[in-house]
Amino acid sequence: MTDISKWAVVDPSAELAANVRVGPFCVVGPHVQIADGCELMNHVTIRGHTRVGANNVFYQNVVIGVAPQDLKYEGGPTETLIGAHNVFRENVTVHRGTELGLGQTVIGSNNLIMVGCHIAHDCILEDKILLGNESLLAGHVKIEQGAVVSALVGIHHFVTVGRYSYIGGLTPVRRDVPPFVKFSGDPNEVRALNAEGLKRHDFSEADIADLKQAFRRLFRTGLPLTNSLDALEAEGPHGEHVDYLCRFLRCSFQGRYGRHLEGQRRDQRRHRRFRQPAELRDNPTSEG
Amino acid sequence: MSTIAPTAVVDPTAQVGQDVTIGPGCVVAAGVIIGDGCELRANVYLAAGVELGRHNRCFANCVLGEEPQILGGSVGDTRLVIGDHNTFRENVTISPGSARGNGRTVIGHHNYFMIGSHIGHDCDVGDHAMIGNYAQVAGHCKLENHVWLSPWTGLQQFVTMGRFAYTGGFSAVFHDLPPFVRAAGAYPCTVRGLNVVGLRRAGFTPEAIAKLMEAYRRLFRRPTGEPFSRAVEELAGQDELDENVRHLVNFLRRSHQHRMGRYLELFR
C-alpha cells in the first residue's frame, strides 16, 4: 500500500510502484520512477530523469537527480539510475550525468551512503560500497564493489577506486586507488593490504595469502612500481585477484596523472571555458 | 505560550514545553520531549527518543536522533538526551545511542554545533564545546568540557578528547587527545602546543597556565630518546601536583592502558 503524506508534493506523472512510503515535505518531480518498497522519510527531493530500484531508504534532506555542478552541462535530460537496497543518510546529494560524460550517474545495490556525502555527475558506484560521512566525490569517479571510503575523504575527478580497497579518513585522493589495499594520507600512500576488509567479504585464506605475497612484491621491494609490476606480470597468470590487481595498476599507468579514466575523457579544452551555469542560460530543456 | 507553524507536523504524543517556537516544515516524532523556550527554525526533524532541554536553538534542516549509522541496524529503545542552551546550526546530525553501546547519546549544556557537524551514536559531549563546520565525531567518543574542534576535524570511534583540548582544521584524530593542548594534522595528528589562548579566555590564572606549561614542556618537549611513559610516571610521582596537571597526567595514564591509545576502547 503506497502511503504518501498529505504534505508531500508528488508530480502526477511520476511513477511510484506499490508500497512506496513518502513522508512529509518530500518533492518528487515528473519523469521519476520509484520501484517497490522504497521509503522517503521526510524533506527528500527526487527530480530529473531518475529511476530508483526496489527497497531503497532515503533519510531526511536527501536530494537526488538534480542538475550537476558542471559548467559543461547543457541542461539536457541526462539520467540518474539507482539500484536496490541502498541507504542514503541525511543530507546526501546525488547529481545527474552530463552530455559529455556518460550521460548518467549510476549507483548499484546494497550501498550505504552516510551523512552528507556528495555523488557528482557521471559517477559510477558498484555494489556493497560504504561511503563515510561527508565524503565528497567529484565528477566521473568510479568506485568498484566492496570499497570502503572513510569520513571526510575528497576524491578528485576521474579517479577509480579499486574493489575491496579502504581509504582512510580525511584523505584527498588524487590518483587511482588500487584494489584490495589500504590507502590514506596526504601525500597519498598505499599503506598495506586490506586484509581485514577481505576477511569481512569472505575471501579465502589462500586468496588473501596470494594477495599478500603479490602486495609485498609490488609495494615493498623498494624498486619503482613499474619495474616490480613488469617482473610480476612476466611470470604469467597468478590467479583471479592478483591478475586483477596487476591489470588495474597497468590501466592507471596508462591514464594521465595516475588516473585511468582521465585518459578517456571526451571533453576538450574549448568545453572548459568559463561560462554561465545551465540554469541561467536561455535553454528550454533545463529543468532545475 | 508556544508558537507552532501550521505546516509543522508535530505528533500528538510529543511533549512541548512553554514558549517553544516550531517553524514551518518541522517534523517532530512520537514521544519527543521539547523543553521550555526551545526554538526550531524550519525543516527541523526530531526523531523518536529525543529529549531536548531548555532554550535550545535548532536551525534549518537539523536532524536529531535519527537511527545510528551501524551495519546491521540498531534495535531497542535508544535515546538522545540534550541539555540546555545548545545551538545546532544548519544540517547538524546527531545519532542516538545504539543497543550495542550504552543506549544513549548525551549532550551537555551551552554547546555550539556549527553547520553540518555530526555526533555519532553513544557519544558523551560535555559542556561549552565548540564543534566547527563539518566536524565529524564517530560513535562512542567522549568530549570533555570546553573542547574546540575546528572545521573538518574527524574523530575516530572511541576517542576521548580532554577538557580544553583544541584541534586545528583538517585534523584526523585517531588516539585520545590530552586535555589543555592544541593538536593538528592528519597522518599523524600531533600535539603542537599548550592551548594558552583557550585557557586564558576561560579565566585560568597566569600561575595555573605556567604550571601547565611546565608540565607540557616536561611531557611533550622532553629530551630526544626519553620514553614518554617515563616522563609521565615521573610527573605522576611528584607530591603536591597542581590539580590541572594531575588531571593531565591521569588522562595520559588512562590512555596508555589501551594498545592504540584509546581508553574507552577497553570497554567495548
Side-chain angles (χ1 to χ4, degrees):
Chain A
M1 180 58 199
T2 298
D3 174 17
I4 299 179
S5 163
K6 66 170 176 172
W7 297 102
V9 181
V10 179
D11 193 278
S13 59
E15 292 173 35
L16 270 59
N19 295 320
V20 173
R21 277 181 291 166
V22 181
F25 309 109
C26 290
V27 178
V28 179
H31 320 296
V32 173
Q33 294 175 24
I34 301 179
D36 228 21
C38 284
E39 181 175 4
L40 281 63
M41 294 214 170
N42 51 52
H43 299 104
V44 176
T45 304
I46 303 186
R47 305 193 58 166
H49 292 257
T50 300
R51 270 183 282 157
V52 178
N55 299 318
N56 290 288
V57 182
F58 300 90
Y59 280 75
Q60 292 77 19
N61 305 323
V62 168
V63 179
I64 306 280
V66 295
Q69 302 179 133
D70 185 357
L71 300 178
K72 297 190 296 293
Y73 175 60
E74 298 288 356
T78 51
E79 292 181 310
T80 312
L81 308 178
I82 294 174
H85 302 283
N86 298 294
V87 175
F88 295 84
R89 295 299 306 230
E90 298 88 323
N91 302 335
V92 167
T93 47
V94 179
H95 290 173
R96 59 182 182 239
T98 58
E99 296 88 348
L100 283 166
L102 284 174
Q104 48 187 217
T105 301
V106 185
I107 296 177
S109 300
N110 297 301
N111 300 299
L112 171 57
I113 319 283
M114 289 195 185
V115 172
C117 287
H118 173 63
I119 298 170
H121 59 92
D122 306 298
C123 281
I124 301 177
L125 271 69
E126 292 180 358
D127 304 332
K128 294 182 186 166
I129 293 162
L130 198 150
L131 291 191
N133 286 14
E134 302 291 343
S135 308
L136 307 178
L137 274 53
H140 313 276
V141 166
K142 181 176 180 190
I143 302 190
E144 298 184 342
Q145 66 192 44
V148 174
V149 179
S150 304
L152 297 168
V153 169
I155 303 186
H156 196 282
H157 60 197
F158 293 104
V159 159
T160 308
V161 176
R163 57 171 76 148
Y164 305 109
S165 57
Y166 172 93
I167 304 178
L170 283 106
T171 301
V173 180
R174 302 191 183 84
R175 56 184 169 89
D176 288 355
V177 178
F180 315 116
V181 304
K182 290 200 278 191
F183 186 95
S184 65
D186 183 12
N188 293 167
E189 270 178 59
V190 173
R191 304 274 171 172
L193 191 75
N194 182 18
E196 182 62 34
L198 298 176
K199 276 179 213 150
R200 290 184 191 182
H201 282 283
D202 299 327
F203 275 58
S204 70
E205 293 287 334
D207 283 345
I208 296 176
D210 284 352
L211 277 167
K212 197 162 257 175
Q213 206 195 0
F215 180 86
R216 286 210 191 100
R217 294 199 45 194
L218 287 166
F219 297 101
R220 290 281 182 269
T221 52
L223 296 168
L225 185 53
T226 40
N227 296 17
S228 40
L229 181 62
D230 287 341
L232 195 63
E233 279 186 334
E235 291 171 17
H238 290 270
E240 183 195 347
H241 300 304
V242 175
D243 286 347
Y244 185 77
L245 175 60
C246 292
R247 212 158 57 234
F248 187 101
L249 291 169
R250 186 63 70 195
C251 284
S252 297
F253 289 143
Q254 285 162 358
R256 302 176 68 196
Y257 315 117
R259 300 192 287 268
H260 170 58
L261 294 173
E262 187 86 41
Q264 300 180 356
R265 62 191 287 181
R266 279 156 49 193
D267 59 311
Q268 285 143 15
R269 188 160 292 279
R270 67 188 161 84
H271 295 118
R272 297 176 209 157
R273 281 200 315 255
F274 181 80
R275 57 177 187 168
Q276 288 218 305
E279 295 87 334
L280 302 178
R281 289 198 295 267
D282 241 1
N283 193 333
T285 55
S286 175
E287 42 184 276
Chain B
M1 184 57 200
S2 294
T3 328
I4 299 179
T7 54
V9 182
V10 180
D11 192 276
T13 61
Q15 296 174 34
V16 180
Q18 303 285 315
D19 296 315
V20 172
T21 312
I22 300 183
C26 290
V27 179
V28 178
V32 169
I33 301 171
I34 303 179
D36 297 343
C38 281
E39 195 183 335
L40 276 57
R41 297 277 166 100
N43 294 357
V44 174
Y45 179 69
L46 300 183
V50 173
E51 289 174 32
L52 266 182
R54 292 175 298 124
H55 301 284
N56 292 295
R57 292 187 301 160
C58 302
F59 286 71
N61 300 334
C62 271
V63 179
L64 304 184
E66 186 56 274
E67 212 176 296
Q69 300 183 123
I70 307 176
L71 292 176
S74 162
V75 267
D77 175 31
T78 57
R79 305 195 75 76
L80 167 60
V81 182
I82 297 173
D84 307 332
H85 298 281
N86 297 293
T87 303
F88 302 94
R89 292 306 305 245
E90 294 85 341
N91 294 358
V92 167
T93 50
I94 302 185
S95 304
S98 68
R100 264 181 281 173
N102 52 18
R104 49 199 258 140
T105 300
V106 182
I107 310 283
H109 312 297
H110 300 280
N111 299 298
Y112 199 107
F113 297 85
M114 291 194 189
I115 294 171
S117 53
H118 172 81
I119 305 289
H121 57 93
D122 305 296
C123 280
D124 181 356
V125 179
D127 305 333
H128 298 280
M130 183 64 98
I131 314 287
N133 288 12
Y134 297 102
Q136 306 289 314
V137 179
H140 309 280
C141 287
K142 180 175 169 63
L143 307 185
E144 296 183 354
N145 297 345
H146 294 274
V147 299
W148 190 296
L149 274 68
S150 292
W152 295 95
T153 294
L155 259 65
Q156 207 193 17
Q157 53 184 2
F158 293 103
V159 161
T160 309
M161 213 168 146
R163 64 168 88 137
F164 293 99
Y166 171 99
T167 64
F170 292 92
S171 299
V173 183
F174 294 115
H175 316 293
D176 288 355
L177 200 54
F180 312 112
V181 303
R182 278 187 293 126
Y187 307 100
C189 177
T190 49
V191 172
R192 305 289 170 106
L194 194 69
N195 183 12
V196 176
V197 174
L199 297 174
R200 209 182 283 146
R201 284 182 191 170
F204 276 57
T205 60
E207 296 76 50
I209 295 177
K211 282 201 173 118
L212 275 170
M213 185 59 101
E214 201 186 318
Y216 169 81
R217 291 218 176 95
R218 180 72 192 89
L219 290 167
F220 297 100
R221 295 289 175 264
R222 62 194 182 280
T224 324
E226 189 189 346
F228 191 39
S229 53
R230 193 197 294 165
V232 173
E233 289 313 317
E234 193 190 299
L235 257 184
Q238 284 179 12
D239 300 331
E240 292 174 19
L241 206 54
D242 179 70
E243 178 199 348
N244 296 320
V245 178
R246 172 67 65 194
H247 179 75
L248 173 61
V249 169
N250 287 345
F251 186 99
L252 291 169
R253 291 172 94 181
R254 274 203 307 273
S255 298
H256 284 188
Q257 290 172 24
H258 184 252
R259 186 171 59 90
M260 301 296 289
R262 292 189 293 270
Y263 175 62
L264 293 176
E265 193 128 22
L266 294 169
F267 303 101
R268 274 185 98 141

